[in-house]
Amino acid sequence: MSSRYNIGDILGGGFLIVVGLWFAVAAYKYNIGTLLNMGPGYFPRMVGVVTILIGLAIVLTSRRGGAELAMSWRAFGAIAASIVVFGVLLVPFGLIPATFAATCAAAYADPASRPVGTLILAAILSVAMSVIFIYALSLPLVAIRGPF
């Protein structure tokens, strides 16, 4: 049995622990409230605690035992591009076109994705996001906006 550790997992888990600690400590200046009446510090503190737990789990399971996973730069670039596309298109065009374009950009991460399936998925996600965020949650977002 090998006793070597995966340094990438240790560094990644350590980073998550530091970020979680930062969130948890920063949330202490806000009132946490109760579970039924959450204060402004409840959510950031819980995010911090969950992030710390995930980081600890990654560090504690960092023994090398399986095959190394290779970094997929195509997937990384496609997901990063989809976030940028969504952010750039949301205000001038609205939630539906921004979600549609972001889904199409993210689909490029999978070499096996097909155009018809991607377009169907993008349409379904766009409508679902508008129903959830605009109508169900009443967020102040515009479904479709023209640039003019």
Side-chain angles (χ1 to χ4, degrees):
M1 250 169 88
S2 172
S3 64
R4 297 183 334 185
Y5 291 90
N6 186 339
I7 192 71
D9 282 351
I10 292 173
L11 291 174
F15 177 74
L16 287 176
I17 291 169
V18 169
V19 169
L21 283 171
W22 181 76
F23 266 91
V25 169
Y28 268 99
K29 63 182 171 183
Y30 301 110
N31 181 18
I32 192 169
T34 65
L35 187 58
L36 294 176
N37 188 15
M38 297 178 196
Y42 191 88
F43 184 74
R45 193 173 305 169
M46 290 304 114
V47 168
V49 169
V50 169
T51 305
I52 291 168
L53 292 174
I54 292 171
L56 283 172
I58 291 171
V59 168
L60 294 175
T61 59
S62 65
R63 280 188 173 245
R64 289 187 186 200
E68 287 289 320
L69 295 175
M71 174 70 173
S72 172
W73 289 105
R74 174 184 174 136
F76 178 79
I79 299 302
S82 71
I83 294 169
V84 170
V85 163
F86 183 82
V88 167
L89 297 181
L90 181 61
V91 172
F93 293 102
L95 183 63
I96 291 176
T99 304
F100 193 90
T103 304
C104 292
Y108 186 71
D110 182 14
S113 67
R114 300 288 174 244
V116 173
T118 299
L119 294 175
I120 291 171
L121 176 64
I124 291 170
L125 283 176
S126 298
V127 171
M129 292 302 100
S130 66
V131 168
I132 291 169
F133 290 110
I134 296 173
Y135 301 109
L137 295 175
S138 299
L139 292 179
L141 297 170
V142 175
I144 297 176
R145 176 182 304 158
F148 308 107

